[in-house]
Amino acid sequence: MSTNIVIAIDGYSSCGKSTLAKALAQKLHFIYVDSGAMYRAVTLYFLRNHVDLHDHAQVAEALKNIHLNFHSRDYQTHITLNDEEVSDEIRQMPVSDNVSDVAALREVRHEMVKQQQRMGRSKNIVMDGRDIGTTVFPDAQLKIFMTADPKVRAERRYKELHEKNPDVTLEEVFENIAHRDYQDTTREESPLVRAEDAIILDNTNLTPDQQLQFALDKIHALSEP
Ligand code: DC
């Protein structure tokens, strides 16, 4: 019987899921897996290779040529796409603007979910995404569903992006977040919904330390009789 622990963190775009997931993994010495990075890397491959998203055969064929790997250094996500480090490029706007369309494709989701489940089979992990507590690990020991005011989320993301790309505007970032929320919650295949047994964490007015404490308290409560 497997006794490994899985912590599933889901929620809206730019909610600080990865900040919390990384901090928890570091504190608990768990492996951190950023499932969104996988959808982003697939999107990058599709953009570079002009894959037609409406052509199911082309999508399935392209997926066979994609090999993703995570390398964890200091709990930062480093992801390779066919052995090329793409961690920075997958955060840029061209990928952000197209990733929800790619993540809505059934073939893509099936392949990513399969790979994610393999990662959680024998190790203690914290995984963040949109369908981790509902589809990937419905039996996760702890599920957290994160949310925050969309304006606050756009401001946080804008600050991060603006450092690397001064041309990006706050409106553009806000639009992108609103669009992704819409796409993620309305798509047919595994839409973003809160698992019934997930704990809600609204971090609009919380610091990263406060949200970490909130999650740690929930984890400690698991082991109480
Ligand atoms: O977490 P993120 O913003 O990096 O995710 C990028 C996109 O990937 C997001 O718009 C939704 C999608 N995604 C998903 O559909 N399922 C996941 N488990 C993770 C991300």
Side-chain angles (χ1 to χ4, degrees):
M1 194 181 82
S2 120
T3 52
N4 60 305
I5 298 172
V6 174
I7 299 176
I9 301 184
D10 290 302
Y12 294 96
S13 289
S14 301
C15 245
K17 296 185 297 294
S18 67
T19 304
L20 175 63
K22 275 180 214 163
L24 273 178
Q26 197 160 7
K27 196 94 188 164
L28 302 168
H29 304 289
F30 281 20
I31 307 255
Y32 164 57
V33 181
D34 173 354
S35 70
M38 299 170 72
Y39 291 96
R40 286 173 177 273
V42 169
T43 304
L44 180 61
Y45 181 93
F46 282 13
L47 286 173
R48 284 179 176 174
N49 293 281
H50 310 287
V51 174
D52 177 357
L53 303 189
H54 302 287
D55 183 336
H56 295 285
Q58 220 186 95
V59 167
E61 197 50 39
L63 282 168
K64 287 190 202 151
N65 298 323
I66 296 179
H67 301 282
L68 304 177
N69 265 302
F70 280 103
H71 304 273
S72 188
R73 252 183 275 136
D74 305 330
Y75 289 96
Q76 298 304 316
T77 297
H78 293 277
I79 187 166
T80 57
L81 166 61
N82 298 336
D83 294 326
E84 175 194 347
E85 163 82 58
V86 291
S87 312
D88 281 336
E89 199 171 348
I90 59 167
R91 304 279 157 212
Q92 302 305 319
M93 287 314 271
V95 169
S96 296
D97 281 340
N98 289 281
V99 64
S100 330
D101 291 332
V102 172
L105 299 173
R106 175 174 306 164
E107 295 85 354
V108 172
R109 299 209 72 80
H110 281 190
E111 184 53 36
M112 294 304 110
V113 168
K114 204 164 72 185
Q115 295 190 15
Q116 289 152 7
Q117 288 174 333
R118 214 179 290 142
M119 292 181 217
R121 206 163 283 156
S122 56
K123 298 187 188 91
N124 291 336
I125 65 168
V126 183
M127 191 178 285
D128 71 346
R130 305 293 189 291
D131 59 342
I132 311 305
T134 48
T135 305
V136 184
F137 296 115
D139 297 327
Q141 285 86 342
L142 180 69
K143 300 180 187 177
I144 296 180
F145 188 85
M146 289 179 69
T147 180
D149 182 317
K151 281 200 195 112
V152 173
R153 289 193 270 145
E155 278 159 17
R156 288 176 186 160
R157 189 93 189 97
Y158 169 74
K159 269 191 206 151
E160 265 173 35
L161 283 173
H162 195 256
E163 280 172 21
K164 286 190 181 156
N165 177 6
D167 292 339
V168 79
T169 65
L170 180 59
E171 286 84 63
E172 203 181 344
V173 175
F174 183 83
E175 288 301 316
N176 176 261
I177 286 179
H179 175 69
R180 285 200 286 146
D181 282 355
Y182 178 76
Q183 295 261 82
D184 294 344
T185 50
T186 56
R187 69 178 175 225
E188 264 179 45
E189 194 72 22
S190 278
L192 168 66
V193 282
R194 180 175 78 86
E196 272 181 23
D197 51 350
I199 295 163
I200 295 179
L201 167 54
D202 181 335
N203 70 5
T204 306
N205 298 308
L206 294 184
T207 64
D209 279 348
Q210 287 170 324
Q211 70 176 15
L212 173 61
Q213 197 50 55
F214 173 94
L216 288 172
D217 289 347
K218 302 294 170 201
I219 291 163
H220 293 142
L222 289 177
S223 54
E224 279 166 13

